[in-house]
Amino acid sequence: DTEVTQTPKHLVMGMTNKKSLKCEQHMGHRAMYWYKQKAKKPPELMFVYSYEKLSINESVPSRFSPECPNSSLLNLHLHALQPEDSALYLCASSQERDTYEQYFGPGTRLTVT
Amino acid sequence: AQRVTQPEKLLSVFKGAPVELKCNYSYSGSPELFWYVQYSRQRLQLLLRHISRESIKGFTADLNKGETSFHLKKPFAQEEDSAMYYCALSGFGGQNFVFGPGTRLSVLP
């Protein structure tokens, strides 16, 4: 299995809801990433996990809460989001952090109403 | 801090013409440079990385440390090359992965 999968594909949530995004890879990669991508913009790094430990948090608001339950799985918990948080959320993985090519999932299109 | 610039938001060329997508970077150490491509309705995928010196789909890119550039080139563009191209940089020693703003390549028939 050489793919990164993400669920759900689309998510619509209200500002008071709690939801989670899920990302999975079975390539034995030890680094996993969350990115946010707004329309016609490049992906912006949010979080990096290396060996299941959070190694980088790019000053992301606390309404986004990452979790790495095991080496294959990465979650992003969402709570009290704002409409400006609507974006495509991409997950990626790499063999090791930073210096290896990243493999991207298809993304979750999030709309906050 | 590291930074990647891609001066052209949109580049249009005719099929069969040469194409060059520009990328410049600023980084104090020895970076790793990548080109990623995103075709319509497909996920972002690696096109090539400077360290492997490969030619993928006819594309090549050479790292020029003196000019801090990593331009992507192809001698004869094809319509299927139309896509969004991102130059990206990764630093050693725990530095973040950063994307440039991207260049949309449109190859006209």
Side-chain angles (χ1 to χ4, degrees), chain A residues 19-37:
Chain A
K19 297 284 185 184
S20 297
L21 310 184
K22 180 180 171 182
C23 172
E24 204 161 358
Q25 58 89 13
H26 296 287
M27 294 179 277
H29 290 172
R30 302 317 302 262
M32 295 185 78
Y33 311 76
W34 279 115
Y35 288 87
K36 175 182 177 181
Q37 186 176 25

Side-chain angles (χ1 to χ4, degrees), chain B residues 13-34:
Chain B
V13 301
F14 285 102
K15 177 182 171 183
V19 62
E20 182 180 49
L21 302 170
K22 291 185 166 54
C23 171
N24 287 91
Y25 66 91
S26 60
Y27 183 68
S28 56
S30 293
E32 281 209 55
L33 276 299
F34 305 81

Side-chain angles (χ1 to χ4, degrees), chain B residues 38-55:
Chain B
Q38 191 165 30
Y39 300 102
S40 179
R41 300 181 189 280
Q42 293 189 28
R43 67 183 68 193
L44 197 58
Q45 57 187 286
L46 179 71
L47 182 61
L48 53 81
R49 57 188 296 196
H50 90 271
I51 205 167
S52 62
R53 303 185 66 82
E54 290 177 301
S55 172

Side-chain angles (χ1 to χ4, degrees), chain A residues 6-25:
Chain A
Q6 289 186 246
T7 54
K9 284 187 178 178
H10 301 276
L11 179 62
V12 179
M13 60 185 290
M15 289 189 283
T16 58
N17 291 159
K18 280 186 181 180
K19 297 284 185 184
S20 297
L21 310 184
K22 180 180 171 182
C23 172
E24 204 161 358
Q25 58 89 13

